[in-house]
Amino acid sequence: MPHRTFFAFMLPSLSAMLIFIALPILSSAFQSLHIEHPRVLIETETCDPFAGCTTETRVDAEATRKLEEAQPAGKFNGLGTYFNSAHLAVADVAEIWRTAPNVWQALSKITDLPFYRALLFTLAYTFVVTPLSLWLGLLIALAVNMVPQRLRGAITYFTLLPMLVPTFLGALVLFWMIDARGLIGAALIALSGNPDLSLKASRTLTWVVLFVHGAWNSAPFVFIVFYAAIQTVPRDTLESAIIDGASRWQQQRFVVFPHLRPIAIFLTLVLIMDNFRVFESIVAFSATAQASSLSVLVFKDLMNGTTRLYGSAAATSMLTILCIALLMMPSMVRSWQTFKGKA
Amino acid sequence: MSAATIFILVWLVGAAFPFVWTVWGSFKIQADFFSYGGWRDALLGPRTLQLTGSSFTLENYRGLWFEEAFWRPAANTLILTGSVTLISLAFGTLGGYALARSTHRYAFWVLIAALIFRAMPGLTLISGYLLPFFQFNLWGHLTTAAIVLVALNQPFTLWLLHSFFLTVPRELDESALVDGCTRFQAFRLAIMPVMWPGVVTTGIFSFLVGYSDFVICAMLLSESNQTMVPTTAAFLGSEQHAGKLMFAVAATVSMIVPLFILIIFFQRRIVDGLTAGAVKG
C-alpha cells in the first residue's frame, strides 16, 4: 500500500489519538510546571467618623481575573510542584528519615504521606490483583475444559457478567453486600464476633475487598483468552504425553502451560495497564479514607471545590505515566523479543 | 462430583449471585435491603409489606424514573453510546484496514504506539483536557465526551479490527483493484461486506465503553448532559441526596438488566473479540 493511501486511511484514527492522547500528555507536562495564581490582594482604608480608620485586605477579583486571563496556565513554578508535600515531599521525607528511630518506622511514616500512600496502594493492587486474576482465570478455564460441552455456553455467560457490567456498578453491587447491613457484611460480623467490623473501620478489610473485586472483575477476560488458547493445544503432543504415562497434572505442567506462556505474558501486560489505573472501585466502595490510588489523587485535585488544582493534578499525572513506563518496560521488552523471534 | 465441577459451581455463585441479590433487593424498601436485622429481611421484605401492602414494591423505580427524571441521563447515555459506537467504527475500520494491508515497517510502529497509548489512564489525560476545553467552550457537551471516549478507545479498536482484517484474504482487495476500483472502493465494496462479524464484535466493545464510562463523563459533562453511571454515583454520598440510596440500587438494576439481555444475544461475538487480539497474534 502506498504511503499516501496508508496515511489517508489512518488520518481520522491517528489524529484522534494524537489530539486526545499524545497532546494532553504534553499539555499536562507543561501544566505541571505551573501553579495557580495567588489571589491579588488590595488594602483599602475605610474611615469612619466614630470608629476611626481601619485598613482591610480583600481579594481584588478584577485584577485576579485579569491575571488569570493573561496566563491561564498559572504562574511558572519549575519542578516545585513535583517536590512539594502533596507529591514527592522531599523535605518531609528527609525530615522523617532524620528523626525516625529505625527504618521501619521511617517507612511507615513515609507511606502516610499522600503521594506515597497512593503509590503504595496502587502498586500493591497491581501486584496482588494481576497474579490473582491470572490464576483464577486459568483455573476456571481448566475446570470448564473438563465439564461436558453442552454446559459450557451457559457457564461462559455467567462468567462474563462481572467483567461486562460497568466497573462502577459491579463494585457498587459488591459494596452493598459487604456493607455492615448487607448479606456478606453481616455474615462477616457474625463470624468474626466483632460488631464494629466494617469497611469504614478496617483498612485490611477494605484492601482485601478491593483486591477481591479486582480479581472478580478481570478473571473473566483471562478465562476467555486462556480457554481459547487451551483449545489450540496440539492434540498430538497431548496424546503422546498420555501414552508416555503423564498424569493429569503432568499433562498440564509440561504440555498445556508451556503452550499458554506467550499468552500469559500478553495478559500480564494488559492486566498491569488496567490494574494500575484502579479508581472506580475505590470511589464505589467509598474507600478513599482507607485506600488511595494515583488516579484518586488526580481526581481529588480536579474536583477540589471551586478552584481546581490543575498544576498538582498534572504533576501527579506525569508521575503516574513515569511509573507505568517503568512497570511496562519488562513485559514490553519480552513481547518485543518474542516478536523478533517470530520474524 | 469432581473438584472441577465444585470449583465451577463456587465460581458461578460468586459471579452471578451478587446481581441476583441486588435485582431482588431493588424491589424492597431501604429498611429491608439494608437491614441490621439480618438477611431474612432483604429476602422476605417484612417492612416493605408493612409499608406498601406487598413484599414487592415498584416505589424505587417510580421515584427514580419519574421524580428523579432518570430518563434524562438514560437518553444522554443512549446518544453518547450511539455516537461513540458509530464514530469508533468509522475511524477504526479505516485505520485497521490500512494497518492490516500495509507492508511497511511504520505500520508496526503505529500498533506499538497504540499499545503505549492504551496504557495511559483516562484520569491522567483529563487533567490535560480540562483547561483547553473550558477556554474553547467545549466543556459539558455530549459531543466532546463522545470524541474523547472514541479517541481513548481507538488503540483497542485498532488492534481488534486490524486482527479481523488480517483474516480477510488479500486476494479479495487485489482483484477489486485489478477491476479498476480505487483503494477506498475496494475497502467499501469488497472488504466491508465480508467484515461484518468483526465490525459487530468491535461495535459491542465500543458500546460497552460508552455505556460503562464513569470518570470521563463525570469530569467532562455538565449536569444536564450527565449520563447514567455518574448520576447513579450522585445518589450515593452527597447531603443533597440523603436517603436516596434505593434510587442508586434501582438505577444499577435498570442499567445491568438490559445489558444481561444483550449479552445473551451477543455472547459469541464478545468471546470472539476477547480472543481475537490475544490468540491470533
Side-chain angles (χ1 to χ4, degrees):
Chain A
M1 191 183 263
H3 302 306
R4 261 186 67 101
T5 326
F6 176 81
F7 284 102
F9 271 91
M10 283 305 301
L11 186 69
S13 174
L14 214 52
S15 44
M17 288 195 290
L18 289 179
I19 296 173
F20 291 104
I21 303 177
L23 207 59
I25 296 175
L26 295 181
S27 116
S28 285
F30 176 76
Q31 188 72 60
S32 69
L33 303 176
H34 295 74
I35 51 165
E36 289 69 30
H37 290 290
R39 298 265 167 272
V40 180
L41 301 177
I42 45 169
E43 287 192 349
T44 43
E45 203 179 35
T46 37
C47 288
D48 194 285
F50 302 105
C53 287
T54 50
T55 51
E56 67 180 297
T57 321
R58 58 182 186 84
V59 176
D60 185 346
E62 178 65 13
T64 307
R65 198 180 55 78
K66 271 198 183 137
L67 197 60
E68 273 168 6
E69 256 170 35
Q71 288 175 291
K75 201 173 65 173
F76 184 75
N77 190 33
L79 291 175
T81 314
Y82 286 92
F83 295 126
N84 74 12
S85 60
H87 298 87
L88 293 176
V90 187
D92 306 62
V93 171
E95 173 68 23
I96 289 170
W97 198 253
R98 217 163 36 77
T99 53
N102 60 46
V103 181
W104 290 114
Q105 286 212 2
L107 283 181
S108 95
K109 272 192 179 160
I110 289 172
T111 50
D112 276 341
L113 298 170
F115 179 79
Y116 295 101
R117 202 169 79 91
L119 184 66
L120 181 72
F121 178 78
T122 312
L123 286 174
Y125 186 88
T126 309
F127 287 110
V128 172
V129 173
T130 305
L132 203 63
S133 25
L134 275 174
W135 277 104
L136 183 59
L138 177 65
L139 287 178
I140 302 170
L142 291 174
V144 168
N145 206 37
M146 288 179 200
V147 302
Q149 194 85 42
R150 68 199 149 79
L151 295 175
R152 293 183 193 178
I155 294 174
T156 306
Y157 174 79
F158 289 110
T159 301
L160 281 173
L161 300 184
M163 179 187 71
L164 295 178
V165 160
T167 313
F168 189 83
L169 302 185
L172 276 184
V173 165
L174 290 194
F175 174 55
W176 290 329
M177 291 183 81
I178 216 113
D179 187 275
R181 296 163 299 174
L183 186 62
I184 302 174
L188 280 178
I189 289 173
L191 281 177
S192 68
N194 174 5
D196 296 325
L197 187 69
S198 75
L199 278 185
K200 273 198 192 74
S202 162
R203 169 180 279 199
T204 323
L205 183 64
T206 306
W207 283 39
V208 169
V209 168
L210 285 168
F211 293 163
V212 168
H213 169 263
W216 183 74
N217 188 235
S218 44
F221 168 58
V222 178
F223 153 70
I224 296 288
V225 174
F226 272 147
Y227 179 73
I230 289 173
Q231 309 310 310
T232 64
V233 170
R235 291 252 155 227
D236 304 350
T237 326
L238 206 56
E239 269 160 26
S240 34
I242 295 169
I243 292 168
D244 288 348
S247 69
R248 192 154 230 182
W249 164 245
Q250 284 170 326
Q251 292 166 35
Q252 311 293 344
R253 171 77 185 73
F254 295 107
V255 182
V256 178
F257 287 5
H259 181 76
L260 297 181
R261 222 184 114 76
I263 290 151
I265 293 173
F266 162 84
L267 282 172
T268 310
L269 184 69
V270 174
L271 287 174
I272 288 179
M273 287 185 205
D274 286 346
N275 289 333
F276 202 77
R277 63 180 76 172
V278 53
F279 167 71
E280 296 188 9
S281 53
I282 299 180
V283 175
F285 281 102
S286 329
T288 40
Q290 303 290 355
S292 167
S293 78
L294 294 174
S295 291
V296 169
L297 287 186
V298 177
F299 186 74
K300 276 186 177 167
D301 280 342
L302 293 178
M303 286 303 208
N304 182 45
T306 45
T307 47
R308 297 167 191 254
L309 304 172
Y310 294 108
S312 169
T316 310
S317 299
M318 296 319 289
L319 291 169
T320 311
I321 290 175
L322 187 76
C323 291
I324 292 180
L326 288 176
L327 269 182
M328 279 177 58
M329 210 63 92
S331 319
M332 283 294 253
V333 170
R334 229 183 282 178
S335 312
W336 171 250
Q337 282 162 349
T338 350
F339 173 79
K340 277 280 184 184
K342 266 191 213 161
Chain B
M1 249 197 320
S2 72
T5 321
I6 295 169
F7 178 73
I8 291 279
L9 284 177
V10 172
W11 162 252
L12 285 183
V13 170
F17 178 69
F19 299 116
V20 177
W21 183 254
T22 308
V23 171
W24 180 271
S26 71
F27 295 103
K28 304 277 181 272
I29 63 169
Q30 184 171 343
D32 277 329
F33 189 47
F34 294 97
S35 163
Y36 285 109
W39 54 273
R40 279 182 204 83
D41 285 355
L43 197 65
L44 304 170
R47 291 185 196 81
T48 314
L49 183 66
Q50 211 169 48
L51 202 77
T52 64
S54 152
S55 46
F56 286 93
T57 172
L58 287 171
E59 195 47 39
N60 301 326
Y61 290 94
R62 201 190 58 75
L64 173 74
W65 286 88
F66 298 109
E67 278 165 39
E68 295 290 328
F70 198 61
W71 54 269
R72 212 188 294 267
N76 288 332
T77 300
L78 226 59
I79 298 170
L80 181 83
T81 309
S83 348
V84 169
T85 310
L86 288 180
I87 307 172
S88 275
L89 285 178
F91 286 15
T93 45
L94 287 169
Y97 174 70
L99 287 172
R101 288 299 183 258
S102 175
T103 45
H104 295 289
R105 203 157 176 73
Y106 51 68
F108 168 76
W109 288 111
V110 171
L111 282 171
I112 291 295
L115 189 67
I116 293 171
F117 286 158
R118 160 84 168 69
M120 298 299 147
L123 261 167
T124 62
L125 299 175
I126 285 184
S127 64
Y129 301 142
L130 276 174
L131 261 188
F133 280 179
F134 280 124
Q135 268 174 339
F136 300 121
N137 227 348
L138 294 171
W139 187 86
H141 306 292
L142 280 171
T143 328
T144 311
I147 300 275
V148 167
L149 283 171
V150 166
L152 292 191
N153 192 35
Q154 234 358 249
F156 175 73
T157 313
L158 274 182
W159 269 88
L160 197 58
L161 281 167
H162 151 258
S163 67
F164 277 117
F165 276 114
L166 283 178
T167 62
V168 178
R170 273 168 191 276
E171 288 75 33
L172 208 59
D173 23 352
E174 271 153 24
S175 58
L177 289 176
V178 169
D179 288 346
C181 284
T182 63
R183 256 301 166 179
F184 186 69
Q185 285 171 327
F187 161 77
R188 200 167 58 90
L189 303 172
I191 305 302
M192 283 314 278
V194 296
M195 260 296 285
W196 71 265
V199 170
V200 172
T201 302
T202 317
I204 297 165
F205 285 98
S206 308
F207 169 86
L208 286 174
V209 165
Y211 196 72
S212 316
D213 178 74
F214 168 61
V215 72
I216 305 283
C217 292
M219 302 290 290
L220 292 185
L221 288 176
S222 60
E223 203 166 325
S224 62
N225 283 335
Q226 201 46 275
T227 53
M228 290 199 276
V229 179
T231 309
T232 308
F235 288 134
L236 296 173
S238 63
E239 297 283 322
Q240 189 193 350
H241 287 291
K244 295 189 175 172
L245 190 54
M246 284 319 279
F247 289 162
V249 178
T252 302
V253 175
S254 304
M255 279 194 79
I256 61 180
V257 167
L259 200 61
F260 288 171
I261 296 167
L262 276 181
I263 300 171
I264 295 179
F265 293 106
F266 291 108
Q267 184 176 335
R268 266 242 63 79
R269 300 261 73 86
I270 294 169
V271 172
D272 245 29
L274 290 175
T275 46
V279 180
K280 284 173 197 155

